[in-house]
Structures are given as structure tokens and as C-alpha cells.
């Protein structure tokens, strides 16, 4: 009996490729685990030759969506993965969400008005609507909304950046940020 679940989930069965990755994600939809566990343990054990680029390709194509499910410190957080056709059946968006600050609300308003946005575009729209905040405060509010399941990104690049130490220069991510509802 103890071997059933690992076998059923394809743990260490040696099957490679994006089709296997889609199958694995389908089996584990709505399971909230730290990003570091998804990327280094769960998916590599289920997909031979797994790479983060495979996840990015599936997300960019629209096949896979990730949602934040709680911060796990400054360099990690819990996420859940979904196959796009199933997300509406599995996720209930909190329509009564109250933004904790005007900055958070400005981010949500900018996404409501403009739809999915490149980070630089979003930051420019928010800066035009709300003044008096720093770039660090903007990023912190953005991550609050991510971990609260209010917004997501079309790639895993923001999550990938969490594990790296901050660099001296300021890099802008190019992925699209999207409001869930």
C-alpha cells in the first residue's frame, strides 16, 4: 500500500518531457507547497530531465497557471499549480478582498483597468496614481498581492528570482502581471 502513491504519481518512473510535466501538475493541482520544494524536489522527482524552462514554456503558452498561497519568508513562498482549463473549477477568487493600503489598491486598480501588464508598465501606472512610495515598497506590495492569491505572473521568473541574493543593479522582470478577478 505504501508504494501505491509514489507509483501512481510517477515518482522516479523516468518519463521525461512536457506531457509528463502536465500530467504531474494535473495530479497535484491546488496543492500549496513552497516554491523551493516544487522546483527542487516535487517536479524533478516526477519528470525525468525536468528544468525550470519547461515550466516557463507551459506558463507562457497558457497551459499552466501558478497562484501564491502564502509567504514563506523573504526568499520563498507557497504556491499552487493549475492546468488552465481546471483553474476556474478549483479556485475561488476572494471578491471581497480588501487591499491593506492605497498602494495595494492602486496596483489592483491598474490591473483592472489595463489588464495583464509588463512590470514596468504596471509600476509606471501605479506611480502616476499614488505617490510617496519607494520602489521597495512597490515590490513589497506586489509580493503581498501575489502571496495573497490576488495576482500572478505568466512565467515563473519572479519565483525563480526569490532564491537568488539581491544584486547591486536593478533588473526589471519582463513577465506579465495579471489580476485574477
Amino acid at each position: 500500500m505504501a508504494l501505491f502513491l509514489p507509483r501512481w504519481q510517477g515518482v522516479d518512473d523516468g518519463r521525461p518531457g512536457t506531457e509528463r510535466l502536465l500530467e504531474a501538475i494535473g495530479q497535484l493541482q491546488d496543492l500549496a507547497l513552497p516554491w523551493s520544494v516544487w522546483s527542487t524536489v516535487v517536479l524533478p522527482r516526477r519528470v525525468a530531465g525536468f528544468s525550470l524552462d519547461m515550466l516557463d514554456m507551459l506558463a507562457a503558452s497558457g497551459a499552466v497557471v501558478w497562484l501564491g498561497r502564502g509567504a514563506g519568508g523573504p526568499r520563498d513562498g507557497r504556491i499552487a499549480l493549475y492546468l488552465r482549463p481546471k483553474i476556474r473549477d478549483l479556485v475561488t477568487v476572494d471578491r471581497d478582498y480588501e487591499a491593506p493600503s492605497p498602494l495595494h489598491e492602486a496596483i489592483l486598480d491598474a490591473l483592472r483597468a489595463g489588464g495583464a501588464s509588463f512590470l514596468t508598465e504596471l509600476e509606471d501606472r501605479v506611480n502616476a496614481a499614488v505617490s510617496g512610495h519607494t520602489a521597495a515598497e512597490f515590490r513589497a506590495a506586489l509580493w503581498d498581492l501575489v502571496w495573497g492569491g490576488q495576482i500572478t505572473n505568466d512565467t515563473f521568473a519572479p519565483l525563480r528570482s526569490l532564491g537568488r541574493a539581491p544584486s547591486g543593479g536593478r533588473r526589471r522582470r519582463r513577465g506579465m502581471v495579471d489580476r485574477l478577478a
Side-chain angles (χ1 to χ4, degrees), residues 2-16 20-21 23-25 27-28 31 33 38 40-49:
L3 295 177
F4 168 73
L5 281 178
R7 284 186 184 149
W8 178 69
Q9 296 225 338
V11 174
D12 296 330
D13 75 359
R15 291 185 291 153
R20 172 63 193 129
L21 180 54
E23 180 184 328
I25 291 169
Q27 291 174 322
L28 299 169
L31 176 64
L33 295 172
W38 278 113
T40 63
V41 178
V42 173
L43 296 175
R45 291 284 307 269
R46 285 162 175 77
V47 182

Side-chain angles (χ1 to χ4, degrees), residues 34 68-79 143-144 146-149 162:
R69 292 292 184 231
R75 302 238 180 267
D76 206 359
R78 292 180 314 125
I79 67 161
W143 278 110
D144 285 347
V146 167
W147 297 134
L162 289 175

